[in-house]
Amino acid sequence: MLVAIFGESCTGKSTLAGMLKERLGGEIWTGKDYLRLAKDEAGAKKLFTEKLREAVTGGPLIYVIAEKEHLSLLPEGAVRVLVTAELKTIKERFAARMRGNLPPPVAAMLERNHGSFDKEPHRFHVVSGETELEGICGEIAAQG
């Protein structure tokens, strides 16, 4: 089973991925982790794409995506999970990562990117702070 968890930074993707790993086992890959598969990016991307394809019927593999360009790596059959949060929540979490300081350019970037994944096709939608994670993990696990 391949589970693709995607959304903006600081929405709770990693938390969900960790809970799914506890339930399903398998591996968690994030962003460009696949670069460790080969010496060159093209070779690594090719190997990772094959790994993702194999995970659809095998796995489990959880792929956490924060950059829209990585959605193109997903094969047909991936369980797609959109994770969203209110802009205020994202800013608070990002500020915490930056030791309480959210510089205006970073805040502006977060504002520009807010909602950028919302129209991407997905089977599940997790709203940070609203969706009960244990329940959604059960529903996702039932897909496999």
Side-chain angles (χ1 to χ4, degrees):
M1 166 186 249
L2 170 59
V3 180
I5 302 173
F6 58 92
E8 299 164 56
S9 294
C10 296
T11 54
K13 298 179 302 298
S14 295
T15 300
L16 178 61
M19 292 178 75
L20 279 171
K21 181 175 173 43
E22 285 180 23
R23 184 178 285 247
L24 301 172
E27 307 174 86
I28 296 176
W29 291 70
T30 60
K32 287 190 172 185
D33 279 354
Y34 63 83
L35 292 175
R36 66 182 183 219
L37 294 174
K39 291 181 180 181
D40 64 291
E41 185 168 359
K45 191 178 276 190
K46 182 179 177 186
L47 290 170
F48 187 59
T49 301
E50 181 59 33
K51 186 175 188 65
L52 293 175
R53 210 173 305 117
E54 290 171 1
V56 169
T57 56
L61 189 150
I62 301 162
Y63 185 32
V64 180
I65 301 170
E67 295 180 36
K68 285 183 75 169
E69 67 200 44
H70 295 145
L71 290 171
S72 66
L73 298 174
L74 296 176
E76 197 70 31
V79 178
R80 295 169 63 105
V81 183
L82 170 64
V83 182
T84 61
E86 294 293 324
L87 181 59
K88 179 183 176 193
T89 302
I90 292 170
K91 285 181 171 182
E92 289 169 355
R93 291 175 180 173
F94 213 96
R97 283 187 181 177
M98 300 182 79
R99 300 185 187 153
N101 182 31
L102 188 62
V106 175
M109 179 217 34
L110 294 173
E111 290 164 8
R112 275 192 314 275
N113 291 339
H114 189 61
S116 61
F117 284 90
D118 292 1
K119 293 185 180 176
E120 294 296 330
H122 54 277
R123 190 174 305 170
F124 297 97
H125 182 191
V126 174
V127 180
S128 188
E130 295 179 24
T131 304
E132 199 277 308
L133 294 182
E134 284 295 332
I136 201 75
C137 284
E139 289 181 45
I140 294 167
Q143 299 296 303

